[in-house]
Amino acid sequence: MSNSVDKLWTREFVLVSLINFIIMLSMFLLLVTIGGYAVEHYHVSTSTAGLVSGIFIVGSLFGRFWAGKYIDIIGQKKTLVIGVIIFVVTTALYFVSFDLTVLITVRLLNGIGCGIASTATGTIAAFITPKKRRGEGISYFSMSAVMATAVGPFLGMFLLQFITFRQLFIFCLALALIALFMLPSIKVNEDLEGLKSQAPKGLHISNFIDTNAIPIAIVVLICCTAYSSVLSFISFFAKENNMVTAGSFFFLAYAIVVLLSRPFTGRLMDTRGTNVVMVPAMLAFIAGLFSLSLTHTPMMLIISAMLLGFGYGNFLSIAQAAAVKRTEPQKIGLATSTFFIFLDFALGFGPYLLGIFIPIIGLHGLYFYMGIVVVIGMIVYFILHGRKAHIYDALN
């Protein structure tokens, strides 16, 4: 009986992870290509193209705020259905975006759908995972987002060598429809009446942000802002250092290390505690950024990718599990939303902030200073969470 209770790989867990992967894949696939579409079809400036790409993150933030407040009121499954339907409809609207204003509006609404859906998938994954295996479960689930982060940009640039933007939109719509058709197979046993009785009222910040998750979310904001420099500028870095071929394998090496390390890091967190995994992950994260700042050869670039795969790749899943462990069961949805709001803010607005400093310090200098930022993040982690991590671990 205990084996059944502690079962991790249920049908719902697999389906929710697949839906999350599909939605995030579509997100990152367009995130790196839609700017080129705006330039090609609307002849806009580079900064406007950046707005077309980045407005999606703003929409995602709105979606997460909404989902964070209402997911535990209307239910996780219904929230997921709402998010996926919005995502499907707005993905279809790319075909009728004949005006730049319409395109920006569609991107904003598409982001809202993605934010709602991905908040729901993350909440469901945490909700259906056995408490004793929550670190391991979230670790495996977050691999769906990590793989999408690696595969999406690569696939988008690769496909555009052979197909048109319109065909790319068809591909993204097909992905969204696959996610929609998978929804009826997901069943979540929720005590909705118990949750509704705790329904938040008004527009207080506590209705949208889980205060219990804020400490670890602050660490996420700091460290993920540093990682946004990798996500946004690594292609420029590879080109600047004549390592374009090696640069194309950067995220592949990153993803392989994540895949190899997740099976034992998640389980280690559940059995030995958060700090046992978080400390090595953050040290590897720091080493990866410092390594990038010294990189001038393809081998060093791949080594940096592997360090970041073990470091940032595991840091993110550990932080998400820690956010859930800090809160009450009825606030898992709000805690998950809070985590992703801070994450989206870092990844969405970080590149705009960091881009200001690149002409002054260069890309090598940028990665050096981002290493220092993660060092600061590690100190903040110990102050806000690490020194009491054993207490939160014991509660779950």
Side-chain angles (χ1 to χ4, degrees):
M1 182 69 179
S2 59
N3 289 337
S4 175
V5 172
D6 293 338
K7 186 178 180 181
L8 176 60
W9 293 103
T10 60
R11 181 183 66 175
E12 280 69 27
F13 184 83
V14 172
L15 288 175
V16 165
S17 297
L18 284 174
I19 290 174
N20 191 65
F21 172 74
I22 290 170
I23 291 173
M24 299 299 283
L25 178 66
S26 178
M27 166 189 167
F28 282 104
L29 198 153
L30 287 180
L31 200 62
V32 298
T33 57
I34 198 72
Y37 172 76
V39 171
E40 181 178 318
H41 287 263
Y42 300 107
H43 310 290
V44 300
S45 65
T46 305
S47 60
T48 302
L51 173 64
V52 172
S53 178
I55 197 70
F56 184 98
I57 301 297
V58 177
S60 180
L61 282 168
F62 279 122
R64 294 195 190 283
F65 273 113
W66 183 89
K69 179 176 181 179
Y70 291 106
I71 190 169
D72 290 329
I73 303 172
I74 65 176
Q76 300 163 13
K77 174 70 180 290
K78 287 183 180 178
T79 304
L80 177 59
V81 171
I82 292 170
V84 172
I85 289 175
I86 294 173
F87 190 72
V88 170
V89 172
T90 52
T91 300
L93 290 178
Y94 282 115
F95 296 103
V96 295
S97 299
F98 300 118
D99 177 80
L100 180 62
T101 303
V102 175
L103 177 62
I104 292 174
T105 303
V106 169
R107 287 288 291 164
L108 180 69
L109 296 174
N110 200 213
I112 290 174
C114 178
I116 294 173
S118 55
T119 299
T121 54
T123 302
I124 293 172
F127 185 80
I128 64 179
T129 300
K131 281 188 175 182
K132 293 181 180 179
R133 303 184 68 182
R134 188 157 282 164
E136 182 183 6
I138 291 178
S139 206
Y140 279 120
F141 169 79
S142 62
M143 269 174 42
S144 60
V146 172
M147 295 305 296
T149 305
V151 176
F154 168 78
L155 190 60
M157 300 304 295
F158 176 78
L159 289 176
L160 280 180
Q161 298 179 53
F162 308 101
I163 65 175
T164 65
F165 278 107
R166 185 175 182 81
Q167 291 169 326
L168 188 67
F169 294 151
I170 293 174
F171 180 74
C172 290
L173 179 59
L175 288 174
L177 287 171
I178 290 172
L180 181 65
F181 293 144
M182 293 169 68
L183 289 178
S185 300
I186 297 176
K187 292 178 174 58
V188 184
N189 295 320
E190 303 176 78
D191 180 13
L192 289 181
E193 294 306 317
L195 295 173
K196 285 179 180 178
S197 65
Q198 302 172 45
K201 299 178 181 179
L203 294 175
H204 301 293
I205 189 66
S206 60
N207 295 343
F208 299 91
I209 297 290
D210 180 21
T211 54
N212 294 314
I214 285 179
I216 197 68
I218 291 173
V219 180
V220 168
L221 178 66
I222 296 170
C223 294
C224 292
T225 297
Y227 181 73
S228 73
S229 66
V230 177
L231 197 60
S232 300
F233 304 120
I234 195 64
S235 59
F236 297 101
F237 181 80
K239 185 175 181 179
E240 181 181 282
N241 289 275
N242 300 312
M243 296 182 292
V244 176
T245 302
S248 64
F249 289 98
F250 183 90
F251 286 108
L252 178 61
Y254 171 97
I256 289 173
V257 172
V258 171
L259 284 172
L260 293 176
S261 61
R262 282 291 170 87
F264 68 85
T265 54
R267 185 178 294 273
L268 195 61
M269 177 182 180
D270 288 330
T271 57
R272 299 289 302 277
T274 303
N275 288 342
V276 172
V277 186
M278 181 64 92
V279 173
M282 296 194 78
L283 289 175
F285 190 1
I286 294 166
L289 289 169
F290 283 147
S291 176
L292 265 183
S293 73
L294 300 172
T295 292
H296 293 280
T297 65
M299 180 59 71
M300 280 294 293
L301 186 66
I302 298 302
I303 290 173
S304 299
M306 295 171 69
L307 286 168
L308 288 169
F310 182 81
Y312 177 79
N314 283 292
F315 160 79
L316 203 58
S317 64
I318 299 164
Q320 184 180 350
V324 171
K325 282 176 177 287
R326 287 185 67 119
T327 197
E328 299 91 353
Q330 70 272 17
K331 289 187 177 181
I332 286 179
L334 193 60
T336 302
S337 172
T338 302
F339 171 86
F340 281 113
I341 285 169
F342 280 70
L343 172 63
D344 278 354
F345 194 90
L347 296 183
F349 296 101
Y352 293 101
L353 174 64
L354 300 179
I356 298 173
F357 300 99
I358 292 177
I360 304 171
I361 60 179
L363 287 170
H364 284 90
L366 176 68
Y367 291 128
F368 173 79
Y369 286 112
M370 289 306 98
I372 294 177
V373 167
V374 180
V375 170
I376 295 172
M378 191 172 184
I379 295 171
V380 173
Y381 166 77
F382 277 109
I383 294 173
L384 298 182
H385 183 87
R387 61 194 178 91
K388 295 183 178 179
H390 63 285
I391 298 176
Y392 304 116
D393 293 335
L395 295 175
N396 292 271

